[in-house]
Amino acid sequence: MLIIDKVNVSYGPLQVLFDISLQVGEGEIVCLAGRNGAGKTTLCKAIMGLLPISSGDITLDGEMLGSLPAHVIPKKGIALVPQGRRLFSELTVGENLEIGLITQGEEASTLEWIFNLFPRLEERLEQVSSTLSGGEQQMLAMARALCLKPKVLLLDEPTEGLQPSMVELIRATTKQLVKEGVSILLVEQKFEAIIELSNRVVIIENGRNRLILDKPSLEEDPVILKQALGV
């Protein structure tokens, strides 16, 4: 289980997260929702060690992660698919995957698993990643993160800017990953996706916890979520 407990984060003198708390249990999709600038991406960076936390705790299966350097966090079982994908654009699909595989040694079995999830990538191993479509680039960004065989996958707005067919593919893959044992913290702005995918929604506002809703509460009273998203 990933536990974020009263985490505070600052950019220099400016504090941006205030006592943020949430949990992602085994086999769950927990959605992190809120308006632009609420602090969702900042929290993902803090979990990955890319931003230092000034106080609070981040633990995975009981192990403290908050003080670890960023390059150690993926080895502990957390991977991030960042907003904007951040691929190595001049490298091929295969080379991007090779970079993802560096931290673990089961290359053949891992690639077989990934190609079962994203068969299109296997067909494009020699293609330069910058020439892929937006949807294919998102597949590659997810695949590269999955090369780490993470316990928890952080997805930061994975369907942003994609055509409907690719949106459906990414959502279906997200559901499949949970079936295969990967827990997911999903940063999402789309109301329909949150309702469809999440077991629980954590709404943050101005860097603070505002509300936590489980799936029955969401389905019973979706107006609360719409208001939080500005829909």
Side-chain angles (χ1 to χ4, degrees), residues 1-6 19-24 30-32 43 47 185 200 202 204 209 212:
M1 176 182 286
L2 175 67
I3 300 176
I4 314 299
D5 184 27
K6 296 184 178 179
D19 289 335
I20 289 287
S21 296
L22 62 87
Q23 297 183 1
V24 183
V30 174
C31 184
L32 187 61
L43 180 59
I47 293 169
L185 179 61
R200 190 166 63 259
V202 177
I204 64 174
N209 282 92
I212 298 177

Side-chain angles (χ1 to χ4, degrees), residues 98-149:
E98 284 293 331
I99 290 171
L101 289 165
I102 287 172
T103 61
Q104 63 90 21
E106 301 176 10
E107 180 173 331
S109 60
T110 300
L111 284 177
E112 181 181 358
W113 175 56
I114 286 169
F115 292 147
N116 283 333
L117 291 168
F118 300 113
R120 195 174 305 189
L121 294 180
E122 188 171 16
E123 301 167 3
R124 288 163 169 72
L125 282 176
E126 301 302 320
Q127 187 170 338
V128 175
S129 62
S130 61
T131 66
L132 299 172
S133 70
E136 290 166 344
Q137 288 184 22
Q138 187 62 44
M139 290 182 207
L140 179 55
M142 290 180 68
R144 185 181 59 185
L146 291 171
C147 284
L148 302 167
K149 298 299 289 287

